[in-house]
Amino acid sequence: MTPGRSAPEPVTAVFESAGAWLPGGLARVEEGLLAAVEGDGPLTGDAVATLEAGGKRMRPMLVLLCAGPEAGPAAIRSAVAVELVHMASLVHDDVLDRAPLRRGRPTVYAESGREQATALGDRLFSTAFGVLADAGDRSAISELSATAVDLARGELMQRRGAFDLSLPERDYLERCRLKTGRLFAAACVLGRSSVNPDQAEALAAFGNRIGLAFQMLDDVLDVSGPAERTGKARGTDLLDGTVTLPLIVAIADEPDLAGVDLGQLDEAGAALLCDRITETGALEQVRSRATGLIEEAKSGLADAALDPEQARLLELIADGVVLRYS
């Protein structure tokens, strides 16, 4: 992988600040990802296209950063497996949401149909565990399997809360912890476990916090747009009935918004609702809370017993989460 191929920030900034070990490690991850998805019959084309569609590779990078310069084959395997699980979850999300676009490109669901996309997501999940099982990484398998269960729990929470404008903020936060924060946390745990298992859990809170901030800011971007930046229509979450923090905060400030029927929205109506959410100041409130989580994550690194260079790079990637959405 070359810096800037699929995401300018925060990947590029960390690339430029780290030693040669990090680009080298991520190049090995890319090789492992390609090897994992190639050569398996009718799903291969869609699998390779999904891999090459881009992505920030933040989760593999967290694995390697938490492992540090001494990262060996176990960290590379974990990084590959984490990204495969992430890819699988996106493909399945697109099926459930009937999404036409992902990162500005047609989804597998849109181009190849529901059955093909479902099968691809299943294949990517199973391939992730195969990468770890082939090397007998039992502890890594255990961590990733628990993570996959939590991803499914988060998705079920999202489905149960769809179109519910009375959704409590605590339910939103728990959903985000399961759907987004959990995989970030697992990436940190798997990376550190590959070199020092005793320090692994100290980094889980870091991963969870930046994952939550990432999701909050992504939800802000869904409201603020523009489509050429997000690769999808403004208000896509609203059209899907997904209630996010900007809407929850906006309803608290303007209770009349609770009377909106999300099930009746079209793209024009979603854009108007986005404007109303923006006018309440909700986006600034959510951005501020996400920034606070990033600061908490960085402060918590003091408990992780990392060397100063590792801590600095992790702080940089945490800051990059905010910069990406600024």
Side-chain angles (χ1 to χ4, degrees):
M1 178 181 179
T2 57
R5 178 184 74 84
S6 56
E9 287 289 353
V11 173
T12 301
V14 179
F15 257 92
E16 292 172 349
S17 299
W21 66 272
L22 182 60
L26 280 168
R28 291 165 64 195
V29 171
E30 287 296 315
E31 292 169 1
L33 286 167
L34 188 59
V37 302
E38 280 186 324
D40 190 18
L43 292 174
T44 298
D46 283 331
V48 172
T50 300
L51 174 64
E52 293 181 344
K56 294 162 289 300
R57 303 293 194 258
M58 283 185 68
R59 296 154 190 82
M61 183 175 287
L62 282 171
V63 174
L64 297 185
L65 289 176
C66 289
E70 63 269 39
I76 300 298
R77 286 193 298 271
S78 290
V80 170
V82 162
E83 187 65 8
L84 287 170
V85 166
H86 177 54
M87 290 168 57
S89 70
L90 295 182
V91 172
H92 278 170
D93 279 353
D94 290 340
V95 172
L96 292 169
D97 297 338
R98 299 185 294 278
L101 296 174
R102 167 75 64 179
R103 296 169 181 149
R105 300 186 182 190
T107 61
V108 176
Y109 166 81
E111 289 209 318
S112 301
R114 183 184 185 89
E115 291 185 0
Q116 179 91 349
T118 301
L120 175 61
D122 292 346
R123 182 213 163 172
L124 292 171
F125 267 119
S126 61
T127 301
F129 289 99
V131 168
L132 300 177
D134 286 346
D137 289 350
R138 295 180 63 181
S139 63
I141 292 170
S142 178
E143 176 65 26
L144 200 61
S145 63
T147 300
V149 169
D150 282 344
L151 292 175
R153 289 174 58 210
E155 185 60 44
L156 288 172
M157 282 192 72
Q158 182 165 315
R159 298 297 141 187
R160 285 196 300 267
F163 302 99
D164 181 5
L165 293 182
S166 66
L167 185 79
E169 183 178 309
R170 66 177 179 275
D171 286 3
Y172 165 85
L173 293 173
E174 177 65 3
R175 184 184 84 205
C176 292
R177 183 188 72 80
L178 293 169
K179 283 200 66 176
T180 307
R182 184 65 173 89
L183 193 55
F184 276 77
C188 295
V189 168
L190 289 168
R192 201 61 190 158
S193 293
S194 69
V195 294
N196 192 331
D198 294 335
Q199 295 175 344
E201 287 304 318
L203 287 166
F206 172 84
N208 185 57
R209 284 171 176 146
I210 67 169
L212 282 175
F214 183 95
Q215 186 61 61
M216 285 181 183
L217 292 168
D218 198 61
D219 292 341
V220 167
L221 196 60
D222 183 72
V223 174
S224 63
E228 55 266 25
R229 182 176 178 190
T230 63
K232 57 184 180 179
R234 187 173 171 223
T236 292
D237 287 338
L238 302 174
L239 289 166
D240 291 338
T242 301
V243 178
T244 60
L245 191 56
L247 180 54
I248 293 171
V249 171
I251 289 172
D253 289 341
E254 187 183 325
D256 286 351
L257 286 171
V260 172
D261 186 351
L262 296 182
Q264 297 301 313
L265 288 181
D266 55 15
E267 286 196 11
L272 288 173
L273 181 53
C274 287
D275 289 338
R276 291 183 66 186
I277 292 170
T278 302
E279 289 167 2
T280 68
L283 301 189
E284 289 74 16
Q285 293 183 55
V286 176
R287 286 191 190 101
S288 178
R289 290 179 60 175
T291 301
L293 280 170
I294 293 296
E295 293 306 313
E296 289 177 21
K298 289 158 60 178
S299 296
L301 287 174
D303 300 325
L306 302 172
D307 68 55
E309 178 64 6
Q310 262 183 298
R312 186 182 70 82
L313 291 172
L314 286 170
E315 288 179 355
L316 187 59
I317 202 170
D319 287 336
V321 169
V322 178
L323 288 172
R324 176 178 182 262
Y325 292 100
S326 60

